[in-house]
Amino acid sequence: NNPLPTPAAIDFQRGNYGVFSTPGGYVADLERFEGMSVRFESNSDMVVNEIYNFVRFGELVLTSGMVPIQFSQSNFPSKSGYDFYLRSIASRQVTLDDGSTTQNP
């Protein structure tokens, strides 16, 4: 009877997890938490931001804080500004996956 390990804490408000670039865009560097039991700190309210792959792959994207708005809704066009905006959103997102390898479960 081994007790479950203490879940690792993820705090998007205080943590600086960094991002890395992928062909699909920026992704938060949370690989060290992959496969672990985690908990989100109480000040990291999460909202469901994307459900595009939910039905087919069992994935959804959670974002800390408010749902992101379109960059151009509150900013003038700027290539560097848009890049910074995408990085800042990615640094507070996580993909929740059901772990199934079956499509359209």
Side-chain angles (χ1 to χ4, degrees):
N1 289 338
N2 292 333
L4 292 174
T6 303
I10 296 178
D11 186 346
F12 284 110
Q13 302 302 317
R14 289 188 222 152
N16 184 6
Y17 299 108
V19 296
F20 60 91
S21 181
T22 68
Y26 295 112
V27 178
D29 188 9
L30 300 172
E31 187 171 0
R32 63 184 150 212
F33 299 109
E34 188 171 342
M36 296 176 68
S37 176
V38 299
R39 66 181 165 78
F40 297 102
E41 292 295 326
S42 60
N43 62 349
S44 295
D45 293 338
M46 305 296 285
V47 295
V48 176
N49 185 54
E50 183 180 312
I51 59 170
Y52 183 79
N53 288 323
F54 182 67
V55 173
R56 185 167 182 194
F57 299 111
E59 296 178 352
L60 52 89
V61 176
L62 302 171
T63 303
S64 174
M66 297 173 46
V67 174
I69 59 172
Q70 291 295 326
F71 175 75
S72 59
Q73 186 172 340
S74 59
N75 298 281
F76 289 108
S78 165
K79 186 175 180 178
S80 61
Y82 184 59
D83 186 67
F84 177 80
Y85 175 78
L86 292 177
R87 286 174 177 272
S88 69
I89 291 174
S91 71
R92 56 189 181 93
Q93 285 186 331
V94 63
T95 299
L96 180 64
D97 190 330
D98 67 1
S100 173
T101 58
T102 305
Q103 288 190 28
N104 302 311

